[in-house]
Amino acid sequence: MAESINKSRIDLLVIGGSAGSLEVILKAFPQLTTDLPFAIILVLHRKQNTDTTLIDLLSAKTKITVIEANEKELIKAGCIYVAPADYHLLIENDHTLSLDYSEKVNFSRPCIDITFQTAAETYKDRLACLLMSGASADGVEGLELVKTLQGITAVQDPKTAEVSYMPQKALDKMEVDYIVETDKVFDFINMLAKSSELTA
Amino acid sequence: MQESAIRDEEIEILLNDLLELYGYDFTNYSKASIKRRINRLYSLDKFPSFAEFRYHLRNDAPYSKRFVEQITVNVTEMFRDPGFYKALREQVFPHLGTYPFIRIWLAGCSTGEEAYSVAIVLKELNLFDKSLLYATDINPEVLEKAEKGMFPLSQMKQYSENYILSGGKHEFSSYYSANYNLAKFDESLRSKMIFSTHNLVSDHSFNQFQLILCRNVLIYFDKDLQAKVFNLFDQSLENLGFLALGTKETLRFSSIASNFRQLNSEKIWRKV
């Protein structure tokens, strides 16, 4: 990555992904630093009723605690939260999680835009959002808001993403802070961890 | 995407107006969700400013109805979470079948899909005739829809799959007749349903039940309100009665938890 280490400290990284994202995340997880100074939230589009399998799958790849996001749960640094299937995941001002079973947005539930938006309004410049591979435009508008509110924005490189549509759509609409190589997602997260520690 | 047009302080103002003028108390609802709903309505109805939005809410009583209907979530499905309905069929109703009379409360029933699902299961277990289903919701408009028992035909494929996964043995389509783009459910299913408005925030217990279903309602309430509603349910449940919640809701951390025992992995608790 050519970019210099960002000087801002973050408290939360939200990763939004659709088709072609899970494989990349599974590959990145084993190489993540285990003492994350921030929390990670994963919002992945997927088929219904695969929750426990997904948590198990992710947990097997890292020593970091991976849990399904529970309503009212306080977001804690060093944990990875996974949005449950078929619920929107929202972030409250007091940094707790909320679930919402309202209409699908962008044909999706969970909807990446909703989590990006509520995270941006709460965490502002202490947030990073990464939009990954996918065939949907979900997450693009949310990422724009993250940028407006001074958060760090990143997309998976559409050139190497399995489905380039989603990250490319973001690049068409905005200038992001980082374009992350498909096999360097772990590097990007570890870099955020390092810069967050440095400026803690 | 813009930052939410209606800010947190303004949300508070609107919710206070709603309480003061119309008696609806949303002040203990989870903030992020209600904020999103209010902002959604604000842009849907194309208000030019917060002031105008507020003016309408305060001075236009019919608009207040729309406001309440739109800021609450009314999304529901038939046989949603088939595993849950399987547990009702195999583990809950066999117990209730021993009673001379079964009273069920569906709290926050929305447009009624769940009530019709439960009615179908009761029918198949030959328990329907001695059952009574009280279906309540805060919104009178959704109850009107529920009473009609007509749901989009386009959903039937999904509902039929859910039904089969839940252990349904019949032809799902035998329960409705197709009418243009709607599926009209068998009138007899409605014969044991009583629809009524009930506000979980402000209304009291109105009967004793053997089963209360309240699924995907509590996720919209803050902890204090959840605690209050759990007490209401505890008061409204007979001993050995069952309480069923949504897949992401739990009784575990509540003060009434010690009075209840959870059934296997589903979100069903029995009062012991």
Side-chain angles (χ1 to χ4, degrees), chain B residues 118-150:
Chain B
V118 170
I120 287 172
V121 179
L122 288 167
K123 267 219 151 152
E124 294 184 2
L125 297 174
N126 291 321
L127 299 174
F128 186 68
D129 290 336
K130 62 171 177 175
S131 300
L132 210 44
L133 284 79
Y134 293 76
T136 66
D137 200 277
I138 187 175
N139 286 312
E141 287 79 7
V142 295
L143 291 171
E144 275 174 34
K145 285 183 195 159
E147 277 189 89
K148 292 202 176 90
M150 294 199 278

mmCIF file of all heavy atoms in Angstrom, chain B residues 118-150:
data_model
loop_
_atom_site.group_PDB
_atom_site.id
_atom_site.type_symbol
_atom_site.label_atom_id
_atom_site.label_comp_id
_atom_site.label_asym_id
_atom_site.label_seq_id
_atom_site.Cartn_x
_atom_site.Cartn_y
_atom_site.Cartn_z
ATOM 1 N N VAL B 118 -50.272 -19.438 12.989
ATOM 2 C CA VAL B 118 -50.579 -20.177 14.223
ATOM 3 C C VAL B 118 -51.911 -20.889 14.080
ATOM 4 O O VAL B 118 -52.064 -22.048 14.476
ATOM 5 C CB VAL B 118 -50.582 -19.217 15.443
ATOM 6 C CG1 VAL B 118 -51.129 -19.909 16.686
ATOM 7 C CG2 VAL B 118 -49.169 -18.692 15.712
ATOM 8 N N ALA B 119 -52.893 -20.199 13.493
ATOM 9 C CA ALA B 119 -54.221 -20.796 13.309
ATOM 10 C C ALA B 119 -54.131 -22.067 12.462
ATOM 11 O O ALA B 119 -54.795 -23.065 12.756
ATOM 12 C CB ALA B 119 -55.162 -19.784 12.662
ATOM 13 N N ILE B 120 -53.301 -22.025 11.430
ATOM 14 C CA ILE B 120 -53.139 -23.197 10.561
ATOM 15 C C ILE B 120 -52.562 -24.381 11.354
ATOM 16 O O ILE B 120 -53.039 -25.509 11.260
ATOM 17 C CB ILE B 120 -52.261 -22.852 9.336
ATOM 18 C CG1 ILE B 120 -53.076 -21.975 8.366
ATOM 19 C CG2 ILE B 120 -51.752 -24.113 8.633
ATOM 20 C CD1 ILE B 120 -52.273 -21.392 7.207
ATOM 21 N N VAL B 121 -51.543 -24.107 12.160
ATOM 22 C CA VAL B 121 -50.951 -25.182 12.964
ATOM 23 C C VAL B 121 -51.987 -25.759 13.925
ATOM 24 O O VAL B 121 -52.126 -26.985 14.064
ATOM 25 C CB VAL B 121 -49.701 -24.686 13.737
ATOM 26 C CG1 VAL B 121 -49.126 -25.808 14.582
ATOM 27 C CG2 VAL B 121 -48.647 -24.142 12.777
ATOM 28 N N LEU B 122 -52.746 -24.870 14.566
ATOM 29 C CA LEU B 122 -53.777 -25.333 15.506
ATOM 30 C C LEU B 122 -54.804 -26.226 14.800
ATOM 31 O O LEU B 122 -55.235 -27.240 15.342
ATOM 32 C CB LEU B 122 -54.478 -24.137 16.157
ATOM 33 C CG LEU B 122 -53.651 -23.348 17.178
ATOM 34 C CD1 LEU B 122 -54.336 -22.029 17.511
ATOM 35 C CD2 LEU B 122 -53.443 -24.156 18.463
ATOM 36 N N LYS B 123 -55.178 -25.799 13.600
ATOM 37 C CA LYS B 123 -56.145 -26.601 12.823
ATOM 38 C C LYS B 123 -55.612 -27.999 12.578
ATOM 39 O O LYS B 123 -56.303 -28.992 12.751
ATOM 40 C CB LYS B 123 -56.402 -25.926 11.466
ATOM 41 C CG LYS B 123 -57.580 -25.003 11.496
ATOM 42 C CD LYS B 123 -58.398 -25.083 10.213
ATOM 43 C CE LYS B 123 -59.825 -24.747 10.562
ATOM 44 N NZ LYS B 123 -60.613 -24.168 9.519
ATOM 45 N N GLU B 124 -54.373 -28.058 12.159
ATOM 46 C CA GLU B 124 -53.794 -29.354 11.796
ATOM 47 C C GLU B 124 -53.642 -30.271 13.002
ATOM 48 O O GLU B 124 -53.556 -31.478 12.861
ATOM 49 C CB GLU B 124 -52.458 -29.145 11.074
ATOM 50 C CG GLU B 124 -52.675 -28.445 9.731
ATOM 51 C CD GLU B 124 -51.428 -28.288 8.892
ATOM 52 O OE1 GLU B 124 -50.350 -28.750 9.316
ATOM 53 O OE2 GLU B 124 -51.544 -27.694 7.802
ATOM 54 N N LEU B 125 -53.571 -29.659 14.192
ATOM 55 C CA LEU B 125 -53.449 -30.471 15.402
ATOM 56 C C LEU B 125 -54.809 -30.704 16.050
ATOM 57 O O LEU B 125 -54.894 -31.212 17.175
ATOM 58 C CB LEU B 125 -52.500 -29.789 16.393
ATOM 59 C CG LEU B 125 -51.055 -29.615 15.925
ATOM 60 C CD1 LEU B 125 -50.258 -28.797 16.932
ATOM 61 C CD2 LEU B 125 -50.385 -30.964 15.704
ATOM 62 N N ASN B 126 -55.864 -30.297 15.347
ATOM 63 C CA ASN B 126 -57.235 -30.420 15.869
ATOM 64 C C ASN B 126 -57.439 -29.679 17.187
ATOM 65 O O ASN B 126 -58.196 -30.122 18.056
ATOM 66 C CB ASN B 126 -57.622 -31.896 16.042
ATOM 67 C CG ASN B 126 -57.782 -32.582 14.706
ATOM 68 O OD1 ASN B 126 -58.312 -31.982 13.748
ATOM 69 N ND2 ASN B 126 -57.295 -33.804 14.603
ATOM 70 N N LEU B 127 -56.755 -28.567 17.338
ATOM 71 C CA LEU B 127 -56.902 -27.771 18.555
ATOM 72 C C LEU B 127 -57.605 -26.448 18.294
ATOM 73 O O LEU B 127 -57.882 -25.677 19.208
ATOM 74 C CB LEU B 127 -55.520 -27.489 19.171
ATOM 75 C CG LEU B 127 -54.694 -28.692 19.603
ATOM 76 C CD1 LEU B 127 -53.305 -28.257 20.040
ATOM 77 C CD2 LEU B 127 -55.407 -29.431 20.726
ATOM 78 N N PHE B 128 -57.867 -26.203 17.034
ATOM 79 C CA PHE B 128 -58.351 -24.884 16.641
ATOM 80 C C PHE B 128 -59.682 -24.545 17.308
ATOM 81 O O PHE B 128 -59.869 -23.414 17.780
ATOM 82 C CB PHE B 128 -58.484 -24.831 15.113
ATOM 83 C CG PHE B 128 -58.843 -23.474 14.585
ATOM 84 C CD1 PHE B 128 -57.938 -22.421 14.665
ATOM 85 C CD2 PHE B 128 -60.082 -23.248 13.998
ATOM 86 C CE1 PHE B 128 -58.274 -21.163 14.173
ATOM 87 C CE2 PHE B 128 -60.414 -21.998 13.495
ATOM 88 C CZ PHE B 128 -59.507 -20.949 13.587
ATOM 89 N N ASP B 129 -60.583 -25.496 17.373
ATOM 90 C CA ASP B 129 -61.932 -25.208 17.858
ATOM 91 C C ASP B 129 -61.957 -24.778 19.315
ATOM 92 O O ASP B 129 -62.865 -24.080 19.740
ATOM 93 C CB ASP B 129 -62.850 -26.420 17.639
ATOM 94 C CG ASP B 129 -63.133 -26.619 16.153
ATOM 95 O OD1 ASP B 129 -63.022 -25.608 15.419
ATOM 96 O OD2 ASP B 129 -63.438 -27.752 15.741
ATOM 97 N N LYS B 130 -60.974 -25.207 20.091
ATOM 98 C CA LYS B 130 -60.980 -24.777 21.492
ATOM 99 C C LYS B 130 -59.952 -23.672 21.773
ATOM 100 O O LYS B 130 -59.567 -23.433 22.897
ATOM 101 C CB LYS B 130 -60.772 -25.982 22.410
ATOM 102 C CG LYS B 130 -59.458 -26.717 22.236
ATOM 103 C CD LYS B 130 -59.322 -27.720 23.361
ATOM 104 C CE LYS B 130 -58.071 -28.553 23.243
ATOM 105 N NZ LYS B 130 -57.910 -29.443 24.401
ATOM 106 N N SER B 131 -59.516 -23.028 20.687
ATOM 107 C CA SER B 131 -58.523 -21.964 20.854
ATOM 108 C C SER B 131 -59.134 -20.597 20.564
ATOM 109 O O SER B 131 -60.107 -20.488 19.824
ATOM 110 C CB SER B 131 -57.352 -22.172 19.894
ATOM 111 O OG SER B 131 -56.728 -23.409 20.130
ATOM 112 N N LEU B 132 -58.526 -19.591 21.167
ATOM 113 C CA LEU B 132 -58.882 -18.217 20.864
ATOM 114 C C LEU B 132 -57.587 -17.423 20.709
ATOM 115 O O LEU B 132 -56.704 -17.501 21.563
ATOM 116 C CB LEU B 132 -59.741 -17.657 22.013
ATOM 117 C CG LEU B 132 -60.776 -16.593 21.709
ATOM 118 C CD1 LEU B 132 -61.584 -16.911 20.453
ATOM 119 C CD2 LEU B 132 -61.713 -16.449 22.910
ATOM 120 N N LEU B 133 -57.465 -16.735 19.591
ATOM 121 C CA LEU B 133 -56.243 -15.970 19.322
ATOM 122 C C LEU B 133 -56.527 -14.475 19.453
ATOM 123 O O LEU B 133 -57.319 -13.923 18.682
ATOM 124 C CB LEU B 133 -55.731 -16.251 17.897
ATOM 125 C CG LEU B 133 -55.021 -17.573 17.644
ATOM 126 C CD1 LEU B 133 -56.044 -18.697 17.488
ATOM 127 C CD2 LEU B 133 -54.179 -17.484 16.385
ATOM 128 N N TYR B 134 -55.910 -13.855 20.424
ATOM 129 C CA TYR B 134 -56.020 -12.406 20.582
ATOM 130 C C TYR B 134 -54.828 -11.775 19.859
ATOM 131 O O TYR B 134 -53.688 -11.952 20.277
ATOM 132 C CB TYR B 134 -55.967 -12.008 22.049
ATOM 133 C CG TYR B 134 -57.153 -12.477 22.861
ATOM 134 C CD1 TYR B 134 -57.275 -13.802 23.255
ATOM 135 C CD2 TYR B 134 -58.156 -11.584 23.239
ATOM 136 C CE1 TYR B 134 -58.367 -14.234 23.996
ATOM 137 C CE2 TYR B 134 -59.244 -11.999 23.989
ATOM 138 C CZ TYR B 134 -59.346 -13.321 24.369
ATOM 139 O OH TYR B 134 -60.421 -13.743 25.104
ATOM 140 N N ALA B 135 -55.119 -11.077 18.779
ATOM 141 C CA ALA B 135 -54.035 -10.446 18.012
ATOM 142 C C ALA B 135 -54.103 -8.943 18.201
ATOM 143 O O ALA B 135 -55.109 -8.314 17.877
ATOM 144 C CB ALA B 135 -54.169 -10.815 16.536
ATOM 145 N N THR B 136 -53.050 -8.387 18.785
ATOM 146 C CA THR B 136 -53.079 -6.949 19.086
ATOM 147 C C THR B 136 -51.907 -6.232 18.452
ATOM 148 O O THR B 136 -50.850 -6.817 18.185
ATOM 149 C CB THR B 136 -53.027 -6.698 20.613
ATOM 150 O OG1 THR B 136 -51.745 -7.130 21.109
ATOM 151 C CG2 THR B 136 -54.136 -7.434 21.340
ATOM 152 N N ASP B 137 -52.112 -4.952 18.218
ATOM 153 C CA ASP B 137 -51.052 -4.113 17.688
ATOM 154 C C ASP B 137 -51.348 -2.667 18.081
ATOM 155 O O ASP B 137 -52.489 -2.312 18.370
ATOM 156 C CB ASP B 137 -50.966 -4.254 16.165
ATOM 157 C CG ASP B 137 -49.620 -3.804 15.622
ATOM 158 O OD1 ASP B 137 -49.429 -2.586 15.417
ATOM 159 O OD2 ASP B 137 -48.737 -4.658 15.443
ATOM 160 N N ILE B 138 -50.323 -1.851 18.059
ATOM 161 C CA ILE B 138 -50.488 -0.435 18.369
ATOM 162 C C ILE B 138 -51.213 0.304 17.237
ATOM 163 O O ILE B 138 -51.908 1.284 17.454
ATOM 164 C CB ILE B 138 -49.103 0.203 18.670
ATOM 165 C CG1 ILE B 138 -49.227 1.642 19.167
ATOM 166 C CG2 ILE B 138 -48.200 0.160 17.447
ATOM 167 C CD1 ILE B 138 -47.889 2.261 19.579
ATOM 168 N N ASN B 139 -51.068 -0.212 15.994
ATOM 169 C CA ASN B 139 -51.617 0.465 14.815
ATOM 170 C C ASN B 139 -52.971 -0.090 14.397
ATOM 171 O O ASN B 139 -53.056 -1.235 13.973
ATOM 172 C CB ASN B 139 -50.691 0.258 13.606
ATOM 173 C CG ASN B 139 -49.459 1.081 13.697
ATOM 174 O OD1 ASN B 139 -49.530 2.276 13.975
ATOM 175 N ND2 ASN B 139 -48.316 0.456 13.474
ATOM 176 N N PRO B 140 -54.029 0.734 14.430
ATOM 177 C CA PRO B 140 -55.327 0.243 13.950
ATOM 178 C C PRO B 140 -55.293 -0.128 12.464
ATOM 179 O O PRO B 140 -55.979 -1.062 12.042
ATOM 180 C CB PRO B 140 -56.278 1.423 14.178
ATOM 181 C CG PRO B 140 -55.507 2.522 14.790
ATOM 182 C CD PRO B 140 -54.087 2.100 14.968
ATOM 183 N N GLU B 141 -54.470 0.563 11.690
ATOM 184 C CA GLU B 141 -54.450 0.320 10.235
ATOM 185 C C GLU B 141 -53.969 -1.094 9.908
ATOM 186 O O GLU B 141 -54.530 -1.757 9.035
ATOM 187 C CB GLU B 141 -53.554 1.334 9.518
ATOM 188 C CG GLU B 141 -54.132 2.727 9.439
ATOM 189 C CD GLU B 141 -53.969 3.507 10.736
ATOM 190 O OE1 GLU B 141 -53.273 3.005 11.667
ATOM 191 O OE2 GLU B 141 -54.544 4.600 10.848
ATOM 192 N N VAL B 142 -52.934 -1.548 10.583
ATOM 193 C CA VAL B 142 -52.438 -2.900 10.274
ATOM 194 C C VAL B 142 -53.439 -3.963 10.723
ATOM 195 O O VAL B 142 -53.564 -5.014 10.114
ATOM 196 C CB VAL B 142 -51.030 -3.192 10.870
ATOM 197 C CG1 VAL B 142 -49.989 -2.302 10.247
ATOM 198 C CG2 VAL B 142 -51.016 -3.105 12.375
ATOM 199 N N LEU B 143 -54.196 -3.651 11.779
ATOM 200 C CA LEU B 143 -55.192 -4.615 12.256
ATOM 201 C C LEU B 143 -56.317 -4.772 11.241
ATOM 202 O O LEU B 143 -56.849 -5.865 11.056
ATOM 203 C CB LEU B 143 -55.759 -4.179 13.610
ATOM 204 C CG LEU B 143 -54.778 -4.255 14.778
ATOM 205 C CD1 LEU B 143 -55.368 -3.590 16.015
ATOM 206 C CD2 LEU B 143 -54.417 -5.701 15.093
ATOM 207 N N GLU B 144 -56.678 -3.668 10.601
ATOM 208 C CA GLU B 144 -57.695 -3.751 9.543
ATOM 209 C C GLU B 144 -57.238 -4.699 8.440
ATOM 210 O O GLU B 144 -58.011 -5.503 7.934
ATOM 211 C CB GLU B 144 -57.962 -2.364 8.942
ATOM 212 C CG GLU B 144 -58.972 -1.556 9.733
ATOM 213 C CD GLU B 144 -59.109 -0.146 9.196
ATOM 214 O OE1 GLU B 144 -58.996 0.037 7.970
ATOM 215 O OE2 GLU B 144 -59.295 0.761 10.023
ATOM 216 N N LYS B 145 -55.968 -4.579 8.081
ATOM 217 C CA LYS B 145 -55.412 -5.479 7.062
ATOM 218 C C LYS B 145 -55.434 -6.920 7.572
ATOM 219 O O LYS B 145 -55.800 -7.847 6.842
ATOM 220 C CB LYS B 145 -53.981 -5.081 6.698
ATOM 221 C CG LYS B 145 -53.913 -3.848 5.809
ATOM 222 C CD LYS B 145 -52.478 -3.547 5.423
ATOM 223 C CE LYS B 145 -52.376 -2.136 4.855
ATOM 224 N NZ LYS B 145 -51.011 -1.601 4.909
ATOM 225 N N ALA B 146 -55.033 -7.089 8.825
ATOM 226 C CA ALA B 146 -54.982 -8.431 9.405
ATOM 227 C C ALA B 146 -56.346 -9.097 9.358
ATOM 228 O O ALA B 146 -56.464 -10.286 9.039
ATOM 229 C CB ALA B 146 -54.466 -8.356 10.843
ATOM 230 N N GLU B 147 -57.374 -8.321 9.663
ATOM 231 C CA GLU B 147 -58.728 -8.889 9.673
ATOM 232 C C GLU B 147 -59.166 -9.380 8.308
ATOM 233 O O GLU B 147 -59.948 -10.315 8.203
ATOM 234 C CB GLU B 147 -59.725 -7.844 10.180
ATOM 235 C CG GLU B 147 -59.775 -7.786 11.682
ATOM 236 C CD GLU B 147 -60.911 -6.929 12.196
ATOM 237 O OE1 GLU B 147 -62.008 -7.456 12.384
ATOM 238 O OE2 GLU B 147 -60.687 -5.713 12.413
ATOM 239 N N LYS B 148 -58.667 -8.740 7.273
ATOM 240 C CA LYS B 148 -59.046 -9.153 5.916
ATOM 241 C C LYS B 148 -58.418 -10.498 5.542
ATOM 242 O O LYS B 148 -58.948 -11.239 4.728
ATOM 243 C CB LYS B 148 -58.612 -8.090 4.898
ATOM 244 C CG LYS B 148 -59.397 -6.784 5.040
ATOM 245 C CD LYS B 148 -59.354 -5.983 3.747
ATOM 246 C CE LYS B 148 -60.215 -4.737 3.831
ATOM 247 N NZ LYS B 148 -59.478 -3.566 4.340
ATOM 248 N N GLY B 149 -57.258 -10.788 6.114
ATOM 249 C CA GLY B 149 -56.624 -12.074 5.823
ATOM 250 C C GLY B 149 -56.204 -12.224 4.371
ATOM 251 O O GLY B 149 -56.244 -13.318 3.814
ATOM 252 N N MET B 150 -55.829 -11.128 3.754
ATOM 253 C CA MET B 150 -55.380 -11.193 2.360
ATOM 254 C C MET B 150 -53.918 -10.752 2.268
ATOM 255 O O MET B 150 -53.569 -9.661 2.712
ATOM 256 C CB MET B 150 -56.261 -10.293 1.493
ATOM 257 C CG MET B 150 -57.681 -10.800 1.430
ATOM 258 S SD MET B 150 -58.603 -10.128 0.043
ATOM 259 C CE MET B 150 -59.102 -8.562 0.696
#
